[in-house]
Amino acid sequence: MKGEQIPYKMLSQDAYSQWLGIEILECEIGRCKVAMTIRKEMLNSMNKAHGGISYSLADTAFGFAANTHGKYAVSIETSINHIEALNEGDYLVAESVIEKVNNKLGFNIIEVKRGDELVALFKGVVYRTQKDWEE
């Protein structure tokens, strides 16, 4: 299966990302850009987006980009810095770029933005299995 097609297959099988309303904006080998809009049911008790929402968007971008090399890649370590509070109606874009990849590991940086404003920074490491993505 061509690497650029893998994130679309992943999204079609990912009920949680579909519930979030995530859409793929761009995808190429080693990079994926996704987006979503924050809805009311995603807010916490302070009427701000729950931290798990931006985390989930970034994690989806991370997983999609990591798998574009054609092998199943699974997360082994992630972290996020929440820089700005997010509100209902905010449109977020997360772009994952593979910074380094070898036979077993991939290292990604994911920026989450609201317009031109950086609102979260996510870092992740994947383990690259030997299993190929198939159509």
Side-chain angles (χ1 to χ4, degrees):
M1 173 173 250
K2 289 187 177 181
E4 305 88 6
Q5 297 172 336
I6 292 169
Y8 294 94
K9 180 173 184 172
M10 292 175 74
L11 183 59
S12 76
Q13 299 173 347
D14 184 343
Y16 182 65
S17 292
Q18 290 175 32
W19 175 82
L20 288 169
I22 292 175
E23 60 180 330
I24 297 171
L25 301 179
E26 297 174 19
C27 188
E28 60 189 54
I29 303 301
R31 188 179 77 79
C32 193
K33 186 185 286 191
V34 298
M36 63 171 282
T37 300
I38 296 173
R39 302 187 310 266
K40 183 173 181 57
E41 64 267 28
M42 298 173 177
L43 303 181
N44 63 22
S45 60
M46 293 174 270
N47 208 36
K48 298 294 180 185
H50 188 286
I53 299 301
S54 57
Y55 185 96
S56 294
L57 178 67
D59 190 52
T60 296
F62 168 50
F64 288 179
N67 279 273
T68 60
H69 289 282
K71 302 284 186 189
Y72 275 54
V74 295
S75 168
I76 59 173
E77 183 179 6
T78 61
S79 65
I80 193 166
N81 299 103
H82 298 283
I83 300 166
E84 297 291 338
L86 302 171
N87 303 298
E88 181 179 359
D90 284 353
Y91 181 73
L92 304 179
V93 175
E95 182 172 10
S96 178
V97 178
I98 296 177
E99 297 294 327
K100 171 98 173 124
V101 66
N102 62 34
N103 288 339
K104 298 280 186 190
L105 300 175
F107 301 85
N108 294 52
I109 301 292
I110 299 85
E111 291 185 347
V112 180
K113 293 185 174 182
R114 175 176 50 199
D116 292 331
E117 179 185 25
L118 183 66
V119 297
L121 187 60
F122 179 106
K123 296 158 295 287
V125 180
V126 292
Y127 173 75
R128 301 179 66 232
T129 73
Q130 294 306 306
K131 183 175 179 181
D132 291 321
W133 277 94
E134 298 176 10
E135 296 195 38

